[in-house]
Amino acid sequence: MTEDVERGGNGRGPRKQAPRRKLMMSEILEKAMQLFAERGYEGTTLQDVADAVGLSRPNLYNYVRSKEELLVAMVEATSQEAALTLRAVRERVDLEPAEKLRTLVHTLVMQRAEQPAQFRTLDRSEQSLPAEIAERHLDSRRAVLREVTTVLDEGVTAGVFRPLDSRITALSIIGMCNWVAWWFHPAPAHPAEPVAEQIAANALAMVAQVDERRPTAPTPLGAVALLQQDLDYLARLLREES
């Protein structure tokens, strides 16, 4: 019987309890984020979290043992999840660079719009994060930057994006996405989806190569053809001046 219960065979074992535990952890994390946003990480205690959720302090320990565990969960749900999701988009072979960038930006905006408290809390608490958690957060931020930069480089090589400093451009685009967590307030008449679509379109407009400057083929010869056009134009100007 014990083995059967452990496997969830009678419906009352861990399988049955897992969804309830997940829901409770989600509520604990949500309340903790609200408190961190209102009072700061240092100004919030586990007792405050327990009171907000409606648990006793000992019962809260069944789910989390410290504030650091809550921060780890926030980093995993916010920074690390964003990095993993963007990497999956960047690795898709069925998307061209422009569509990859559109999808990356749309995804990042939706995450910020749907989890603004998590992002704002981490942003405000960066300086007070324990060293190990701060390193995880920083690694994930670097990964997000790397994914966007790589897609921009792909687009420049393919001739669909203008030659640009991919790192500066990526930081600009990421900043545009992150800022959504601060100014966007969802409502039935103001959903997040159109906002994400608009910002994705803005990002593409920032980097798109004009049709006249797109090489006929993303090869060195294609680039040479563009250079030849510029040289021909320069020669015409010189002839007219002389």
Side-chain angles (χ1 to χ4, degrees), residues 31-219:
K31 295 296 185 183
M33 286 185 298
Q34 292 175 358
L35 291 170
F36 290 164
E38 294 169 2
R39 308 178 185 182
Y41 174 71
E42 298 295 342
T44 303
T45 66
L46 279 182
Q47 186 62 58
D48 294 329
V49 176
D51 292 341
V53 180
L55 293 175
S56 67
R57 181 80 171 261
N59 282 337
L60 182 66
Y61 282 143
N62 291 326
Y63 300 93
V64 291
R65 303 293 299 179
S66 67
K67 289 196 298 181
E68 286 77 7
E69 285 188 17
L70 292 171
L71 283 178
V72 169
M74 271 191 283
V75 169
E76 290 176 348
T78 305
S79 305
Q80 292 180 334
E81 181 179 341
L84 292 173
T85 302
L86 297 192
R87 184 176 69 182
V89 173
R90 192 259 304 163
E91 291 178 343
R92 288 181 59 178
V93 297
D94 61 317
L95 298 180
E96 298 297 326
E99 193 57 34
K100 282 186 182 181
L101 182 61
R102 181 189 299 276
T103 306
L104 287 177
V105 173
H106 186 280
T107 300
L108 198 54
V109 170
M110 290 300 294
Q111 287 182 338
R112 299 302 181 242
E114 292 170 354
Q115 301 173 333
Q118 292 185 28
F119 180 80
R120 292 197 303 266
T121 299
L122 285 175
D123 192 53
R124 289 170 171 168
S125 306
E126 277 189 351
Q127 301 304 317
S128 59
L129 291 176
E132 182 181 351
I133 300 174
E135 189 61 29
R136 285 195 195 187
H137 182 47
L138 182 58
D139 285 345
S140 297
R141 289 178 56 189
R142 287 170 176 160
V144 168
L145 176 60
R146 185 166 57 249
E147 302 304 337
V148 179
T149 301
T150 301
V151 170
L152 290 172
D153 285 336
E154 289 178 5
V156 171
T157 300
V160 297
F161 297 160
R162 294 179 291 102
L164 41 78
D165 185 312
S166 57
R167 185 175 187 276
I168 293 175
T169 306
L171 288 169
S172 300
I173 291 173
I174 293 169
M176 184 166 58
C177 297
N178 288 346
W179 191 241
V180 170
W182 299 92
W183 63 261
F184 178 71
H185 303 287
H190 192 206
E193 185 70 26
V195 174
E197 292 176 358
Q198 179 66 67
I199 294 177
N202 292 347
L204 282 174
M206 288 172 57
V207 302
Q209 180 68 280
V210 295
D211 290 339
E212 293 79 3
R213 298 301 302 167
R214 291 188 182 183
T216 54
T219 64

